[in-house]
Amino acid sequence: METRNYDVIIIGAGASGLMCTAALCNIDPSMKILVLEKNNKGGRKLLATGNGRCNFTNLDISTEAYNTDDVKRLINVLHAYSSKKIIDYFETKLGVIAAFKNDLVYPITYQSKTIADALLNAGRRAHFEYDTKVTSIVKKGMGYCVNGKYEADNIVIASGGVSYPDTGSDGSLLPVIKELAGASSLEKLLPSLVPLKTSDKDVKKLAGLRQECTIRMGSYIQNGEVQFTDYGISGICVMQLSGIYNRACSSGESIRSVSIDLIPSMDKKAKEEIISNLIKSFPEAPLEDAISGLLKKPIAKAVVDRSDKTAKGIAFVAGNFTVNLAGSMGFENAQVTSGGVKLSCLNDGLELLDKKGIYIIGEAVNVDGLCGGYNLHWAWASALTAAEAIVEECEGI
Ligand SMILES: Cc1cc2nc3c(=O)[nH]c(=O)nc-3n(C[C@H](O)[C@H](O)[C@H](O)COP(=O)(O)OP(=O)(O)OC[C@H]3O[C@@H](n4cnc5c(N)ncnc54)[C@H](O)[C@@H]3O)c2cc1C
């Protein structure tokens, strides 16, 4: 079979692959770049981000928001590509103007398509082959041969994780990555930013209700809106805890439940006082009716049913509503994959330590962040890091 030669082959036209393509086109317009993508178009997951609005970075980027095996290397990348740098890059190189909602950063159009189009436009000089699933990367001479057909000295693996597989990132490149990097270079894949299931029947009965809460899982605390569903609990504050939960379960640690304060605006004493007053004011009413101006009635009923029916007991349950956990909703519903190629197995340019010319970026790397623009920030920062390293390497030859 006749092979075609390129300087760089990028596998995956998702967030990180498109940014790497755009950056390489921008830094060195003479570079021959091929992008191989199994979908029939680029940026499918990107279009779904932030409910179609794309929260593309966060003003408060720090390693605390991430899970990884190599915090030092993560600091290097995040230090080189702060949120300010990413926002500037989007404005000056891609023509995308940012808008801010507290620390969350969006394109001013509040449309993911703006970001996807800008990246595709900036990378248009590259050659894109869609409907092309990569199934092999083998060493050939100084470089690599992909699918027995395309050759390049530098390969960028930007194939994502395994969450939301319908968007394309289905793990189909994992056997190839395992072969190249070695099985020990891979951190176990787990769903993160995912709703949690419960076995509690009374919680499932609350399906459809939302409640502003403080939610505690061991020493981890989140504030926000909990959404009760027919399988368990969802909402950003729940999803923020899900990576910790799944990693703990996977390593045999026992996190069995979360504790929810259903009235976080009141301390224990205030809750007790107001519940006591309500019960006194409506002595004839069933308890859940008496407190239904304080808690939505089905939630009030669940709280009363779990309590000893005294004001003190009801207040205690309302502040410490336990939800027993029974796993998560899995990769199909996870916004991000925890695990992947260990950051410690890559150098500062995100090249595999013992495979010169193989770069790994985005969600394929063992770096996952909280909700709030952190995951796309990593996709951009890792893509720009690898693009710079590749150009330096090519210029050094
Ligand atoms: C619903 C949802 C909402 C989200 N919202 C946000 C948000 O607002 N802010 C935020 O920061 N993050 C968000 N995320 C997370 C963010 O989208 C991802 O972290 C990010 O897209 C990862 O980029 P990536 O390039 O690594 O992978 P992807 O964007 O998944 O791209 C990987 C690409 O590789 C292709 N591919 C895979 N295997 C092969 C193969 N064998 N051959 C060829 N091509 C292949 C895939 O088809 C895909 O196009 C969200 C995720 C989801 C699911």
Side-chain angles (χ1 to χ4, degrees), residues 130-145:
Y130 291 113
D131 296 312
T132 305
K133 187 201 263 191
V134 171
T135 51
S136 79
I137 304 173
V138 292
K139 185 91 189 112
K140 189 166 177 196
M142 297 288 284
Y144 298 88
C145 183

Side-chain angles (χ1 to χ4, degrees), residues 11-17 36-39 45 48-50 55 132-134 158-160 164 167-170 172-173 335-336 362-363 373-376 379:
I11 302 168
S16 63
L36 298 174
E37 166 57 54
K38 66 193 266 294
N39 286 338
K45 186 177 281 178
T49 58
N55 171 201
T132 305
K133 187 201 263 191
V134 171
S159 52
Y164 267 69
T167 61
S169 46
D170 60 356
S172 56
L173 200 66
Q335 285 199 4
V336 74
E363 217 177 294
Y374 297 102
N375 289 296
L376 283 174

Side-chain angles (χ1 to χ4, degrees), residues 121-397:
N121 188 36
R124 68 189 177 283
R125 231 189 17 73
H127 180 63
F128 284 76
E129 288 212 6
Y130 291 113
D131 296 312
T132 305
K133 187 201 263 191
V134 171
T135 51
S136 79
I137 304 173
V138 292
K139 185 91 189 112
K140 189 166 177 196
M142 297 288 284
Y144 298 88
C145 183
V146 177
N147 282 5
K149 193 170 164 189
Y150 316 98
E151 288 184 20
D153 287 348
N154 300 291
I155 307 289
V156 178
I157 293 179
S159 52
V162 296
S163 47
Y164 267 69
D166 287 351
T167 61
S169 46
D170 60 356
S172 56
L173 200 66
L174 274 174
V176 177
I177 296 175
K178 226 178 235 177
E179 178 97 17
L180 282 168
S184 62
S185 304
L186 281 177
E187 191 66 46
K188 186 173 176 182
L189 303 186
L190 294 166
S192 191
L193 302 187
V194 63
L196 297 176
K197 293 200 252 185
T198 184
S199 47
D200 295 338
K201 290 199 177 99
D202 59 343
V203 174
K204 291 181 186 179
K205 278 190 196 154
L206 304 178
L209 294 174
R210 294 161 181 253
Q211 182 78 16
E212 276 303 316
C213 296
T214 292
I215 173 164
R216 287 188 179 76
M217 178 188 278
S219 57
Y220 299 97
I221 298 178
Q222 289 286 327
N223 296 303
E225 188 184 75
V226 169
Q227 295 167 21
F228 293 96
T229 68
D230 54 3
Y231 56 78
I233 46 173
S234 186
I236 290 176
C237 58
V238 171
M239 301 214 292
Q240 302 287 42
L241 297 171
S242 61
I244 296 160
Y245 171 69
N246 278 332
R247 285 190 292 276
C249 290
S250 166
S251 66
E253 271 176 57
S254 67
I255 294 181
R256 296 210 168 86
S257 61
V258 288
S259 173
I260 300 179
D261 184 346
L262 295 163
I263 318 169
S265 58
M266 292 181 195
D267 65 14
K268 194 174 149 201
K269 196 163 160 254
K271 281 188 192 80
E272 207 175 308
E273 220 168 83
I274 203 155
I275 289 171
S276 171
N277 289 342
L278 287 168
I279 294 173
K280 278 184 202 144
S281 303
F282 303 98
E284 305 297 322
L287 288 169
E288 59 267 27
D289 287 356
I291 64 164
S292 65
L294 178 67
L295 281 170
K296 288 167 191 141
K297 198 159 156 195
I299 298 178
K301 174 153 176 42
V303 168
V304 167
D305 285 352
R306 283 185 180 198
S307 75
D308 62 4
K309 318 291 188 265
T310 64
K312 192 174 175 187
I314 294 169
F316 178 81
V317 176
N320 303 273
F321 191 79
T322 301
V323 175
N324 288 299
L325 300 175
S328 80
M329 288 299 281
F331 288 116
E332 279 74 19
N333 301 287
Q335 285 199 4
V336 74
T337 303
S338 173
V341 177
K342 290 179 187 161
L343 197 49
S344 55
C345 295
L346 306 177
N347 67 19
D348 286 340
L350 304 181
E351 185 182 26
L352 265 178
L353 286 178
D354 57 354
K355 286 277 181 314
K356 199 170 161 39
I358 300 277
Y359 296 80
I360 311 196
I361 61 173
E363 217 177 294
V365 183
N366 179 33
V367 176
D368 59 284
L370 294 175
C371 280
Y374 297 102
N375 289 296
L376 283 174
H377 184 92
W378 167 250
W380 318 132
S382 59
L384 291 167
T385 300
E388 256 188 23
I390 291 168
V391 171
E392 264 174 35
E393 182 64 32
C394 291
E395 283 173 351
I397 290 170

Side-chain angles (χ1 to χ4, degrees), residues 59-125:
L59 294 179
D60 185 22
I61 293 290
S62 81
T63 53
E64 324 256 286
Y66 291 93
N67 163 62
T68 183
D69 59 288
D70 191 340
V71 175
K72 251 189 180 164
R73 181 142 292 130
L74 180 62
I75 288 173
N76 288 343
V77 176
L78 298 181
H79 193 72
Y81 290 101
S82 62
S83 44
K84 183 179 178 321
K85 263 215 166 149
I86 295 296
I87 293 164
D88 282 352
Y89 195 94
F90 269 92
E91 180 167 341
T92 57
K93 305 280 196 250
L94 302 171
V96 175
I97 311 304
F100 305 89
K101 287 207 163 173
N102 301 317
D103 283 347
L104 308 185
V105 187
Y106 297 86
I108 201 164
T109 58
Y110 287 96
Q111 267 201 329
S112 306
K113 193 168 178 306
T114 301
I115 300 258
D117 286 350
L119 288 167
L120 284 162
N121 188 36
R124 68 189 177 283
R125 231 189 17 73

